[in-house]
Amino acid sequence: MKAIRIHAFGGPDALSYEEVPTPTIRDNEVLVRNKAAGINPIDWKTCSGGGAASFIGKLPFIPGWEFAGVVELVGAAVDGFKVGDEVFGFIRFPEAAGCYAEHLAAPANQIAHKPAQMSFSEGAGLGLAGLTAWQALFDKGQLSAGQQVLVLAAAGGVGHLAVQLAKAAGAQVTGSASAANHEYLHSLGCDAVIDYQTQDVGQALQDIDLVIDGMGGEVGINALQCLKPGGRLVTLPSVTLDAVVRAAEAAGVQASGIRVEPNGAQLAELAKRYAEGNLKLTLAAEVPLAEARSAHKQSAGGHVRGKLILTV
Ligand SMILES: NC(=O)c1ccc[n+]([C@@H]2O[C@H](COP(=O)([O-])OP(=O)(O)OC[C@H]3O[C@@H](n4cnc5c(N)ncnc54)[C@H](OP(=O)(O)O)[C@@H]3O)[C@@H](O)[C@H]2O)c1
């Protein structure tokens, strides 16, 4: 089969489109004929030696943790999936999962059925960002109806789903983005938007119960000022986690990090909401697998709206 691999850590030019062996499956796994893979910042961070690089073992490494495709083979211990099923998933993270490939082996408890009306590209973009948004809002953030939520980087992969999930949970949602994305954020359900390029977010907003911090670093630290007493911030980028938590401690507010976890049941819930018309995926671009280098460059530019997808 064809796949994208790296043989040494590096920038986008380290990605190589090549022939590799088709994976085999264990009893609790399915073999998937892959149709699309989602791109996330963790992909290029890991390929350049940061991100999840310490978890992936020896090179070569096939990047990618999320996908959508068709089940081709089912392990002996798998219930609930059969050959021909259309599925999507976020798998094995932070260990290597091999989703930038024509076939992949997926643990059955980390995938879900893809609704018929959901495209493979949409399915491939839902797993990592959708579960991050879900786990940050509800598992870590303990969001409840009527609360004020601020989503930093609201137009990005995680942010655009966090806005919709928070709205659906009955929150009042403010999203930060550049002016070009403000109409888009309103279309997702934001009650208010803030332009981080012309306004100081930390000064402009108050009495926020929960910040979902898709930026980290100084942006996350500045947003701590928006929290009401007892409010909390969940910061997503791991590289600046310690600095954000230290700043929160100094300011007397709560901040914590997250490492998104595969979860088939939560994926099924996200799929249900999509099927009911209550959750939409924005696709920034669909790029052929062989052109993964250009997609990594685009993602690293930091201004993707919604999700970038590799089509297989
Ligand atoms: N810990 C975990 O488990 C976990 C899981 C998922 C993601 N993450 C991390 O979370 C971060 C966000 O991920 P993502 O996939 O959502 O990224 P993304 O899709 O690449 O985010 C792009 C968005 O960031 C916005 N942006 C850029 N600079 C901004 C600023 N200063 N203030 C507000 N928005 C800004 C852009 O909006 P404009 O174009 O309007 O500027 C763009 O829409 C990444 O660092 C990722 O690695 C961590």
Side-chain angles (χ1 to χ4, degrees), residues 27 110 141 158 171 179-180 199 237 241 250 267 279 303 310:
D27 282 357
Q110 299 180 0
V158 176
Q199 281 178 283
L241 169 63
L267 281 184
L279 188 64
H303 294 286
L310 289 175

Side-chain angles (χ1 to χ4, degrees), residues 40-42 45 93 128 132 152-159 176-178 181 196-197 213-215 219 235-238 258-260 299 302-306:
N40 294 280
I42 189 68
K45 290 177 188 177
F93 188 76
L128 193 156
T132 303
L152 302 175
V158 176
S176 78
S178 63
N181 275 321
Y196 68 86
Q197 292 179 328
D213 167 24
M215 294 306 301
V219 176
T235 188
L236 305 184
S238 53
I258 181 173
R259 182 158 87 205
V260 58
S299 174
H303 294 286
V304 170
R305 178 191 281 184

